[in-house]
């Protein structure tokens, strides 16, 4: 594409572009192969976003919004990509026989999700433990399991439980424990507008339902749950 020289005054910098160049500008593929979102966008999501901009009183044709439907379509597909993830493919066989029965903890796993009530982000950290029963999992797979359930429309309580259920199903350990702590933009940007509130959810399975084991886990992650 020929470089565009923007002159002072009301001249639209797209005035001299051909039809094909305008199409590429509006929703063409991105040239950044490193992007996790990919380069293509969903035509239906583009159309919905275009209509939304109109409903909000904006001009989707102005320079700053030309590619917004394309960007939003890509970002939404990425932020909800957990629906298309397969747990067995994510694990990729990384479950190994090992004669150990001591607690394994992975702390401070960052996650980002979308609240299903307002489609606004909530984000935070997950702390996960399990007590093996003859099998262990590659540590990097635990954050990947978190991502499977975080990258979809969610509520924090359900996401927490789904992560624990999945580890119980595939590892069949003595027990699994998970605590998630998150800030919810639906509480910070709107509604009650409380910027410093943090929501905490927990799910305990198997041996972690026993008080002694649960308290050991909570002490090790530094949680202040009773």
């Amino acid at each position: 594409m020929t470089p565009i020289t923007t002159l002072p005054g009301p001249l639209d910098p797209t005035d001299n572009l051909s039809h094909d160049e305008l199409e590429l500008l509006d929703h063409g593929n991105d040239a950044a192969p490193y992007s996790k979102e990919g380069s293509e966008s969903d035509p239906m999501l583009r159309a919905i976003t275009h209509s939304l901009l109109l409903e909000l009183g904006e001009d989707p044709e102005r320079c700053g919004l030309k590619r917004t439907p394309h960007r939003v379509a890509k970002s939404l597909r990425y932020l909800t990509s957990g629906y298309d993830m397969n747990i067995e493919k994510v694990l990729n066989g990384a479950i190994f026989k090992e004669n150990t029965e001591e607690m394994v903890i992975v702390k401070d796993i960052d996650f980002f999700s979308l609240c299903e009530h307002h489609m606004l982000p909530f984000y935070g950290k997950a702390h996960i433990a399990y007590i093996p029963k003859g099998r262990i999992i590659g540590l990097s797979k635990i954050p990947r399991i978190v991502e499977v359930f975080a990258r979809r429309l969610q509520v924090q309580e359900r996401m927490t439980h789904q992560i624990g259920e999945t580890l119980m199903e595939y590892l069949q350990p003595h027990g699994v424990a998970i605590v998630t702590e998150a800030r919810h933009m639906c509480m910070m940007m709107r509604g009650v507008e409380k910027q410093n509130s943090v929501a905490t959810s927990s799910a305990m399975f198997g041996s972690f339902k026993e008080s002694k084991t649960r308290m050991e886990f909570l002490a090790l992650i530094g949680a202040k749950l009773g």
Side-chain angles (χ1 to χ4, degrees), residues 87 126-131 137 142 145-146 149 154 156-180 201-206 208:
I87 290 292
H127 316 290
I128 299 173
Y130 72 97
I131 299 177
I137 187 173
I142 293 178
I145 291 172
V146 172
F149 294 105
Q154 273 289 16
Q156 183 179 344
E157 300 88 337
R158 182 175 65 233
M159 180 189 78
T160 303
H161 203 267
Q162 287 174 329
I163 294 166
E165 281 185 324
T166 300
L167 287 167
M168 283 295 291
E169 178 183 353
Y170 283 91
L171 279 179
Q172 298 179 2
H174 288 293
V176 168
I178 173 170
V179 170
T180 61
S201 294
S202 67
M204 306 290 163
F205 301 83
F208 283 95

Side-chain angles (χ1 to χ4, degrees), residues 95-207:
I95 295 177
F96 312 99
K97 291 183 179 180
E98 190 65 41
N99 187 26
T100 180
E101 295 188 351
E102 298 299 324
M103 190 183 303
V104 178
I105 300 177
V106 181
K107 293 172 54 177
D108 298 324
I109 302 169
D110 293 318
F111 68 84
F112 300 87
S113 190
L114 290 176
C115 165
E116 67 180 31
H117 301 141
H118 298 94
M119 289 184 67
L120 289 172
F122 67 92
Y123 64 95
K125 294 182 183 294
H127 316 290
I128 299 173
Y130 72 97
I131 299 177
K133 188 165 64 176
R135 300 202 298 178
I136 61 172
I137 187 173
L139 291 180
S140 68
K141 300 304 179 183
I142 293 178
R144 291 187 183 279
I145 291 172
V146 172
E147 191 168 82
V148 168
F149 294 105
R151 295 204 181 280
R152 54 183 72 186
L153 301 183
Q154 273 289 16
V155 294
Q156 183 179 344
E157 300 88 337
R158 182 175 65 233
M159 180 189 78
T160 303
H161 203 267
Q162 287 174 329
I163 294 166
E165 281 185 324
T166 300
L167 287 167
M168 283 295 291
E169 178 183 353
Y170 283 91
L171 279 179
Q172 298 179 2
H174 288 293
V176 168
I178 173 170
V179 170
T180 61
E181 302 170 299
R183 296 183 183 273
H184 292 248
M185 300 305 287
C186 60
M187 290 177 60
M188 297 168 68
M189 296 176 65
R190 55 162 301 285
V192 294
E193 297 186 36
K194 301 302 180 186
Q195 282 74 34
N196 297 312
S197 59
V198 177
T200 302
S201 294
S202 67
M204 306 290 163
F205 301 83
S207 58

